[in-house]
Amino acid sequence: DILIILNTKKAALNCFNDLKYKIDDANNEIYYLSTLKTPFERKRIISKIKDKNIKKRKIIISTQLVEAGVDISVSTVFREIAPLDAIIQSAGRANRYSENDKISEVYVFKIEELLLNTRKVYGSILINKTERVLNQYDEIEEINYLNLIEQYFNLIKEQSNNRKSE
């Protein structure tokens, strides 16, 4: 199963609409989650996603609402660039219950056309600090997440301290 997380409702809905016409329905189920759906609809969709009787591959297009409080597990996560703590929350949806023997992968991507909206949602400072930390690595093992978070928050603290002294 695949989870694609985008930073805005519009981007997620556009991705969902584009993919639903390009994905083979015989082998895949595609789902859309965002706050554009009512809580009742979201709960129904999440129940379908968690249904082990559905044998098709599940492709979930969502906003960041799945990062906390949504108990789903997928094989692969694609996460649009966001603050590092949000990316790590997203990674928590990959092989959440250790149901797969192999390590699940999380890919962080940046779409230039969406970057302005990403910066509006999260702010340029947090995105810049995240990129600064992530750009040091080609691949990151889960065991290194704590180190990443420490680097990230140290950069934020450093900037905050610099502003206080101005």
Side-chain angles (χ1 to χ4, degrees), residues 33-153:
L33 286 171
S34 85
T35 55
L36 290 175
K37 299 279 187 184
T38 66
F40 177 80
E41 288 175 300
R42 290 194 306 260
K43 194 172 187 176
R44 187 180 53 79
I45 292 167
I46 292 166
S47 291
K48 283 183 178 180
I49 291 168
K50 294 168 83 170
D51 186 346
K52 299 294 181 204
N53 293 320
I54 297 175
K55 300 301 179 196
K56 296 179 181 182
R57 178 175 61 175
K58 297 167 186 158
I59 302 170
I60 306 138
I61 314 298
S62 182
T63 60
Q64 60 269 30
L65 77 82
V66 296
E67 290 173 359
V70 176
D71 191 22
I72 60 173
S73 182
V74 297
S75 302
T76 306
V77 175
F78 293 90
R79 178 62 169 97
E80 184 178 2
I81 189 75
L84 189 59
D85 50 328
I87 292 169
I88 290 176
Q89 277 291 109
S90 300
R93 305 298 162 259
N95 201 17
R96 187 172 180 83
Y97 307 114
S98 301
E99 63 269 23
N100 298 320
D101 294 337
K102 63 180 186 167
I103 295 172
S104 291
E105 295 179 324
V106 177
Y107 298 93
V108 178
F109 64 92
K110 179 169 55 172
I111 300 172
E112 290 299 326
E113 293 83 7
L114 300 179
L115 199 52
L116 180 61
N117 288 332
T118 292
R119 292 182 188 283
K120 285 180 184 175
V121 171
Y122 292 115
S124 292
I125 292 170
L126 297 180
I127 298 302
N128 291 341
K129 302 303 180 206
T130 298
E131 289 176 325
R132 194 164 152 195
V133 171
L134 293 179
N135 285 339
Q136 300 174 52
Y137 303 90
D138 290 326
E139 190 172 294
I140 302 165
E141 303 265 336
E142 186 176 2
I143 195 166
N144 295 318
Y145 285 1
L146 181 58
N147 181 42
L148 290 177
I149 285 291
E150 286 174 353
Q151 289 177 49
Y152 172 72
F153 283 114

